[in-house]
Amino acid sequence: PFCAVSLTSLDGEPIASSERILITATARCANTGMEWNEDRTSLGTRWGGPPLLIEPVEGEIVLNRKPGDAVDLFTLDGRGMYAGRAAKLAPTDRGIVIPLNKRKPATVWYELRIQR
């Protein structure tokens, strides 16, 4: 019912001209075995541990970019390492349509690489 999506330039350029963008799309997540107190105000010492359990975000992001750019979308693991190519994207008349869906392995991190 709720998610947060953020885009971060990885090359110091504004998002509109960046060639490397980190996408973070998060919904519910928790450590395995994590337990809230009865009022859901504290975990106390019950933080749980790995693996992190996530609810993947489903939807799409549309980034306003020029047609003709070559676009690769990679999934990243929890260490920021490449977990594989998620998609090769082509700009449309709407812009770059970035699909977020239940991929295997599930992730909250993506890297968008744009080549002109």
Side-chain angles (χ1 to χ4, degrees), residues 1-115:
F2 174 83
C3 71
V5 177
S6 63
L7 280 67
T8 306
S9 171
L10 295 175
D11 58 12
E13 296 295 320
I15 295 294
S17 58
S18 179
E19 294 181 358
R20 291 184 61 222
I21 299 171
L22 174 66
I23 300 170
T24 306
T26 57
R28 291 180 283 201
C29 61
N31 286 331
T32 298
M34 187 173 95
E35 294 181 31
W36 287 94
N37 66 2
E38 193 172 308
D39 298 329
R40 289 194 60 84
T41 57
S42 175
L43 296 172
T45 60
R46 300 176 302 244
W47 284 88
L52 181 64
L53 305 173
I54 65 167
E55 175 183 25
V57 174
E58 295 185 68
E60 67 182 25
I61 300 167
V62 180
L63 191 58
N64 188 11
R65 295 300 279 260
K66 296 177 187 175
D69 292 341
V71 182
D72 290 308
L73 179 68
F74 296 90
T75 55
L76 303 175
D77 66 17
R79 298 171 296 145
M81 304 300 290
Y82 293 107
R85 178 169 290 163
K88 192 156 200 67
L89 308 174
T92 69
D93 57 345
R94 292 175 51 204
I96 300 170
V97 179
I98 305 161
L100 301 177
N101 54 35
K102 292 183 179 177
R103 300 183 186 281
K104 299 292 184 195
T107 188
V108 298
W109 302 282
Y110 303 85
E111 182 181 340
L112 189 66
R113 288 197 174 187
I114 302 166
Q115 298 176 2

